[in-house]
Amino acid sequence: MKHKDLLSISDLSSIDIHLLLADAVELRADGWVDILTGKTLALVFEKPSLRTRMSFELAMRQLGGTCIYLSPAEVGLGKRESAKDIASVLSRYADVLAVRTFAQETLLELARYSDAPVINALSDFEHPCQALADLLTMSDHKETLKDIRLAYIGDGNNVARSLLLAGALMGMDIRLATPTTYTLDEETIELASEYAEDSGGAIMTTADPHLAISDADVVYTDTWVSMGQEEEYPQRLQVFSGFRITPALMAEAAPNAIFMHCLPAHRGEEVAPEVIDGPASVVLDQAENRLYVQKAVLAHMLGGAEVASQR
Ligand code: CP
């Protein structure tokens, strides 16, 4: 991998992503395989989680390693103890840290002072492990990642940012439909456009969900109110009301389009129950694939090619 840490999709090259996805497929077939015996993962979480905690813990155990979960109250990141001291101490015990924080700056600070690699397990800025699982899910359901027409409809949030960057590296044709005041920052759009130029992909931003979804192979949405934004709930519900993925909107996508959502979902808000619980939905595959891509990430970080070749 390009860098010591995985804090953003931009820490990976397109070659890194292809290697991680190929290893994820192999590790999925392998099941339990002792390639990380004696290695320890520390999970440091400032926010709740179902999928991320479960899949990281299981990934480490299935690879023969140990995992220790530290809850928000136990760590007191930046309150009980500084990020610098936490990182310095934890990297004396653990071989790798996976951290869920409110602020990307906290992750950067931890990575700066940690001798062990740090994985972004979700921040306000990115969710790279989710994007890797999403790519694996798309490749499970579509012939090739390149040229997939992906419509992301909803909030220009951390999940959207990682997905846009990852899809652009893979050569996808991505349409991002958000309310104008909730789109992604210009820097991200520019970076994704650069990636797309190199990979033969394309990036389009719009405030029109119909334009984005037209003939799309993949339709993706996420919650309109992320963790920490609860006070904005009534306002967001109003602004995003035209961006709900309904059966009628889904019918404007390509005939075999799949529906994706990183979960947790809010039925009746960003997605109609008929869509998320319908035949086009692959949301449970996405959740399961978190396990396999994170196994691949851990294997690469803790031993790289040598570890993978021991299989
Ligand atoms: N998609 C995701 O990261 O789920 P959790 O918040 O439950 O970990």
Side-chain angles (χ1 to χ4, degrees):
M1 283 163 61
K2 216 164 63 160
H3 294 130
K4 162 184 154 268
D5 308 300
L6 175 54
L7 307 180
S8 160
I9 282 293
S10 52
D11 287 327
L12 301 171
S13 66
S14 58
I15 294 170
D16 288 334
I17 294 180
H18 282 298
L19 279 175
L20 288 171
L21 295 181
D23 277 351
V25 169
E26 288 199 27
L27 288 164
R28 179 164 60 186
D30 288 348
W32 293 68
V33 50
D34 287 343
I35 57 173
L36 295 184
T37 309
K39 302 287 185 187
T40 302
L41 164 67
L43 288 178
V44 182
F45 278 38
E46 277 194 308
K47 295 181 184 184
S49 166
L50 173 68
R51 281 146 290 272
T52 307
R53 178 180 173 183
M54 187 72 195
S55 53
F56 263 115
E57 284 212 28
L58 198 53
M60 203 57 190
R61 289 186 199 189
Q62 288 191 0
L63 295 179
T66 303
C67 182
I68 296 172
Y69 172 76
L70 298 161
S71 69
E74 283 164 314
V75 180
L77 237 171
K79 297 181 190 105
R80 182 171 181 269
E81 198 158 6
S82 69
K84 176 178 182 248
D85 284 355
I86 289 172
S88 308
V89 170
L90 278 181
S91 57
R92 293 287 181 104
Y93 298 127
D95 301 286
V96 57
L97 318 181
V99 185
R100 171 165 287 202
T101 61
F102 284 99
Q104 183 78 2
E105 287 71 29
T106 310
L107 267 178
L108 297 175
E109 182 84 349
L110 286 165
R112 188 172 309 129
Y113 293 104
S114 171
D115 292 329
V118 177
I119 301 170
N120 180 350
L122 181 143
S123 71
D124 61 348
F125 199 65
E126 277 210 47
H127 201 355
C129 296
Q130 182 65 54
L132 292 173
D134 296 339
L135 293 180
L136 179 59
T137 308
M138 287 183 227
S139 70
D140 287 340
H141 289 273
K142 301 287 170 192
E143 272 175 26
T144 166
L145 289 177
K146 188 163 166 50
D147 299 329
I148 278 181
R149 189 170 286 181
L150 165 67
Y152 179 95
I153 297 174
D155 189 17
N157 61 12
N158 47 3
V159 170
R161 184 174 287 103
S162 292
L163 187 66
L164 189 81
L165 294 171
L169 280 167
M170 295 295 98
M172 292 184 193
D173 173 0
I174 307 173
R175 289 109 182 262
L176 176 75
T178 66
T180 47
T181 44
Y182 290 91
T183 193
L184 285 171
D185 56 291
E186 267 180 36
E187 264 180 41
T188 298
I189 304 289
E190 272 174 30
L191 184 59
S193 302
E194 280 171 30
Y195 288 165
E197 205 167 308
D198 287 346
S199 65
I203 306 292
M204 182 189 83
T205 58
T206 176
D208 181 357
H210 299 280
L211 186 61
I213 208 168
S214 175
D215 263 341
D217 303 303
V218 177
V219 178
Y220 200 120
T221 192
D222 187 17
T223 180
W224 293 338
V225 187
S226 296
M227 284 178 274
Q229 298 172 333
E230 290 77 9
E231 282 180 11
E232 300 172 33
Y233 187 83
Q235 181 201 337
R236 281 177 168 264
L237 229 54
Q238 208 174 359
V239 174
F240 284 99
S241 62
F243 290 78
R244 180 171 302 123
I245 312 297
T246 60
L249 188 59
M250 196 67 197
E252 295 175 31
N256 292 323
I258 55 172
F259 171 77
M260 300 183 73
H261 191 307
C262 63
L263 304 177
H266 305 85
R267 288 168 175 76
E269 292 182 17
E270 72 272 10
V271 60
E274 299 88 330
V275 175
I276 192 166
D277 299 319
S281 177
V282 297
V283 299
L284 297 180
D285 295 342
Q286 288 174 260
E288 184 182 340
N289 280 334
R290 292 288 303 275
L291 174 62
Y292 312 123
V293 295
Q294 287 160 200
K295 276 183 170 183
V297 168
L298 291 167
H300 275 261
M301 282 185 159
L302 295 176
E306 309 91 72
V307 168
S309 67
Q310 285 172 26
R311 288 200 309 273

